[in-house]
Short mmCIF file of all heavy atoms in Angstrom, two decimals:
data_model
loop_
_atom_site.label_atom_id
_atom_site.label_comp_id
_atom_site.label_asym_id
_atom_site.label_seq_id
_atom_site.Cartn_x
_atom_site.Cartn_y
_atom_site.Cartn_z
N ASP A 137 -13.37 -5.48 -141.10
CA ASP A 137 -14.03 -4.26 -140.62
C ASP A 137 -13.84 -4.09 -139.12
O ASP A 137 -13.53 -3.00 -138.63
CB ASP A 137 -15.51 -4.30 -140.97
CG ASP A 137 -15.77 -4.16 -142.47
OD1 ASP A 137 -14.98 -3.47 -143.13
OD2 ASP A 137 -16.75 -4.75 -142.96
N PRO A 227 27.49 1.84 -134.67
CA PRO A 227 26.30 1.68 -133.85
C PRO A 227 25.16 2.56 -134.36
O PRO A 227 25.38 3.57 -135.02
CB PRO A 227 26.77 2.14 -132.47
CG PRO A 227 27.84 3.15 -132.76
CD PRO A 227 28.54 2.64 -134.00
N LEU A 273 10.60 -11.06 -134.77
CA LEU A 273 11.63 -11.90 -134.16
C LEU A 273 12.11 -12.91 -135.20
O LEU A 273 11.31 -13.44 -135.96
CB LEU A 273 11.07 -12.66 -132.95
CG LEU A 273 10.38 -11.83 -131.86
CD1 LEU A 273 9.86 -12.77 -130.76
CD2 LEU A 273 11.31 -10.79 -131.28
N CYS A 288 33.11 -7.10 -134.49
CA CYS A 288 33.01 -7.48 -133.08
C CYS A 288 34.03 -8.56 -132.72
O CYS A 288 34.51 -9.29 -133.60
CB CYS A 288 31.61 -7.97 -132.75
SG CYS A 288 30.32 -6.72 -132.87
#
Side-chain angles (χ1 to χ4, degrees):
D137 290 328
L273 307 178
C288 294

